[in-house]
Amino acid sequence: MKRIYLDHSATSPLDKEVFEQMRPYFSSKFGNASSLHSFGREAYEAVENAREKIAKVLNCKPTEVFFTSGGTEADNWALKGVALAKKDGRHIITSPIEHHAVLHTCQYLEKNGYRVTYLPVDKYGFVKPADVEDAIRKDTILISVMHANNEIGTIEPIEEIGRIAKEKEVYFHSDGVQSFCKIPTDVNKLNVDMFSISAHKFYGPKGIGALYIQEGTKIEPLLHGGGHERGMRSGTENVPGIVGFGAASELGLKRMGKDSEKMISLRDRLIRETLKIKDSWLNGHPVKRLPNNAHFCFGLIEGESLILYLDERGIAASTGSACSSKSLEPSHVLLRIGLKHEEAHGSLRITLGRENTKEEIEYVVKVLPGVVKKLRAISPFKSRKELSSFKSTEED
Ligand SMILES: *Cc1c(COP(=O)(O)O)cnc(C)c1O
């Protein structure tokens, strides 16, 4: 059976060209980038070369790009690092639909004496810039609002929030893991002081990411040791990973316009056809959303069974974020945009990639209505009324 991968927001395949560029750094070019000899210099140059390629996508200086083990570390670093560095306050502002790498870090900080304001979001998942302004207090040290949501694809008004943050002289971090190399991420236009990115979400390798930190930003390192990354992030550089990260960024920048045009056309075809299914709707904003994201709900259906049925037919999709899909708790994002518990359970996230074809989308569009119908036929919830008494069982 042909398998169709439609879960690119969980992770993406490593691009063949990217892998080829990484390959020598696993074997002959194995040097430690800190070593003074030729092996070391070879590795060092590869790392700096990659840093430049990433800086190009962000439109920043290469010295403002700091490598991390991924998006999770970058998010943790931005929040904890600023909390440790700024002694003049203990208040943070964020949205309730952030990735868990931000939300759980905020909860951890709350346990340690920090106060966190979780802004309201509307039915599309938008944060209102005016709400950010109202939430700023004398002791606010940081605002963290994601660029694009990993579940419903909504693109937040980052420029405006950033303008307010600048005016009020509060640091502004944005989780750009889903937006980097998919939509423009010029950090000057976005008015951000910090921006998290991760390579495996755009055809690069897993386990490598970066935090953009604008020059002059007060932030403490999380990892201490040999003083790598100019003392900001110790640990021997993951050279093959960094090379792959750079290669994927170069490729991503070059292909952004073309790829997104193609994905928007496939995405919109998918949305149009899927919404013909009875009792279905689209989550997230219809236009201000990632080019590759389509997120639906189907009434009277359980998302997990939908994923398994689709998988049997060769289609790999997701119910929400990969991290939460193993638990039966409904997505915090869907609950916060106003869906009921039982509605949030019937969700399907389809995230496209540059390798997906029209034929694949036609296949999905053909298979999906039948799967939904079948699941509804065996659904224990015969009506909306019964459905509303349904409660999820918690699972670790
Ligand atoms: C995937 C993801 C992360 C985590 O990145 P990792 O590199 O997997 O640790 C953080 N934020 C968002 C929005 C993501 O989609």
Side-chain angles (χ1 to χ4, degrees):
M1 185 176 60
K2 190 176 171 339
R3 295 200 301 164
I4 304 174
Y5 188 75
L6 292 167
D7 199 11
H8 291 79
S9 284
T11 195
S12 58
L14 184 67
D15 186 280
K16 285 199 177 65
E17 197 181 313
V18 170
F19 180 56
E20 283 315 314
Q21 292 194 41
M22 291 170 70
R23 194 194 287 275
Y25 295 91
F26 284 114
S27 50
S28 59
K29 302 185 178 183
F30 60 85
N32 183 324
S34 303
S35 302
L36 292 176
H37 46 63
S38 65
F39 291 87
R41 286 199 308 272
E42 193 170 59
Y44 173 82
E45 269 155 34
V47 167
E48 294 316 308
N49 196 313
R51 203 188 304 278
E52 273 172 34
K53 289 173 180 173
I54 295 156
K56 216 169 225 170
V57 187
L58 296 170
N59 190 29
C60 70
K61 295 181 196 162
T63 51
E64 293 173 317
V65 175
F66 295 88
F67 291 114
T68 65
S69 63
T72 301
E73 186 188 328
D75 284 342
N76 269 265
W77 185 12
L79 274 74
K80 293 175 189 168
V82 167
L84 286 166
K86 297 272 287 176
K87 305 286 182 213
D88 51 340
R90 296 196 141 217
H91 178 239
I92 294 167
I93 299 169
T94 189
S95 93
I97 62 166
E98 296 295 308
H99 189 274
H100 283 129
V102 167
L103 285 181
H104 289 163
T105 303
C106 283
Q107 285 164 15
Y108 169 77
L109 288 169
E110 280 179 291
K111 274 199 306 194
N112 285 279
Y114 289 81
R115 291 262 181 277
V116 180
T117 298
Y118 298 92
L119 300 161
V121 291
D122 69 10
K123 63 175 178 176
Y124 297 122
F126 284 129
V127 166
K128 228 166 71 194
D131 288 338
V132 177
E133 186 157 13
D134 290 345
I136 295 174
R137 318 190 310 207
K138 264 203 164 65
D139 59 341
T140 306
I141 52 169
L142 181 68
I143 299 162
S144 182
V145 176
M146 68 203 313
H147 192 191
N149 186 271
N150 49 302
E151 290 190 39
I152 58 174
T154 294
I155 300 167
E156 297 291 344
I158 294 306
E159 301 92 324
E160 280 174 78
I161 297 170
R163 214 171 296 132
I164 292 164
K166 232 180 213 163
E167 221 175 81
K168 304 278 181 181
E169 295 180 11
V170 178
Y171 283 158
F172 181 34
H173 163 256
S174 186
D175 177 335
V177 173
Q178 290 292 341
S179 61
F180 188 77
C181 280
K182 297 206 186 80
I183 55 174
T185 51
D186 178 332
V187 290
N188 298 305
K189 286 204 182 121
L190 293 177
N191 296 318
V192 293
D193 299 294
M194 282 155 285
F195 199 69
S196 301
I197 56 182
S198 175
H200 76 98
K201 301 292 176 78
F202 63 100
Y203 316 97
K206 293 169 184 61
I208 187 74
L211 182 64
Y212 156 78
I213 306 174
Q214 187 177 39
E215 209 170 83
T217 304
K218 286 199 189 87
I219 182 168
E220 286 291 318
L222 279 193
L223 300 187
H224 300 85
H228 306 77
E229 297 295 282
R230 286 175 295 122
M232 291 302 283
R233 200 279 189 184
S234 287
T236 301
E237 291 87 350
N238 169 3
V239 180
I242 290 171
V243 168
F245 190 1
S249 302
E250 189 173 45
L251 199 65
L253 184 61
K254 198 171 81 190
R255 296 188 52 139
M256 196 188 298
K258 234 182 171 165
D259 282 351
S260 85
E261 197 180 309
K262 178 186 154 193
M263 288 193 293
I264 285 171
S265 133
L266 293 181
R267 177 198 73 186
D268 290 347
R269 162 93 185 138
L270 178 68
I271 292 175
R272 257 192 328 273
E273 290 305 310
T274 303
L275 292 183
K276 287 180 185 163
I277 296 172
K278 230 176 89 190
D279 199 10
S280 69
W281 66 91
L282 180 76
N283 294 305
H285 194 270
V287 181
K288 286 181 185 161
R289 69 187 304 128
L290 287 170
N292 70 328
N293 175 296
H295 192 292
F296 307 100
C297 274
F298 303 97
L300 303 177
I301 272 192
E302 224 249 309
E304 280 75 15
S305 355
L306 184 55
I307 299 309
L308 297 177
Y309 270 61
L310 289 174
D311 190 43
E312 276 177 6
R313 286 151 185 82
I315 300 166
S318 137
T319 53
S321 80
C323 322
S324 56
S325 57
K326 283 212 179 90
S327 79
L328 288 176
E329 271 298 286
S331 139
H332 66 289
V333 175
L334 298 182
L335 295 179
R336 286 309 187 122
I337 62 171
L339 297 192
K340 294 196 190 79
H341 229 260
E342 62 272 17
E343 290 173 330
H345 268 286
S347 66
L348 173 68
R349 180 185 74 176
I350 292 180
T351 45
L352 304 160
R354 63 165 73 118
E355 80 283 5
N356 289 130
T357 63
K358 194 156 179 288
E359 289 67 39
E360 289 177 336
I361 298 309
E362 293 310 319
Y363 175 70
V364 174
V365 158
K366 209 177 79 195
V367 164
L368 191 55
V371 172
V372 170
K373 200 169 161 194
K374 198 162 177 176
L375 279 170
R376 278 178 179 161
I378 61 164
S379 165
F381 328 118
K382 292 289 185 287
S383 69
R384 281 261 161 210
K385 213 170 151 212
E386 278 174 56
L387 189 60
S388 59
S389 63
F390 171 75
K391 287 250 161 38
S392 79
T393 37
E394 268 187 54
E395 215 179 53
D396 279 337

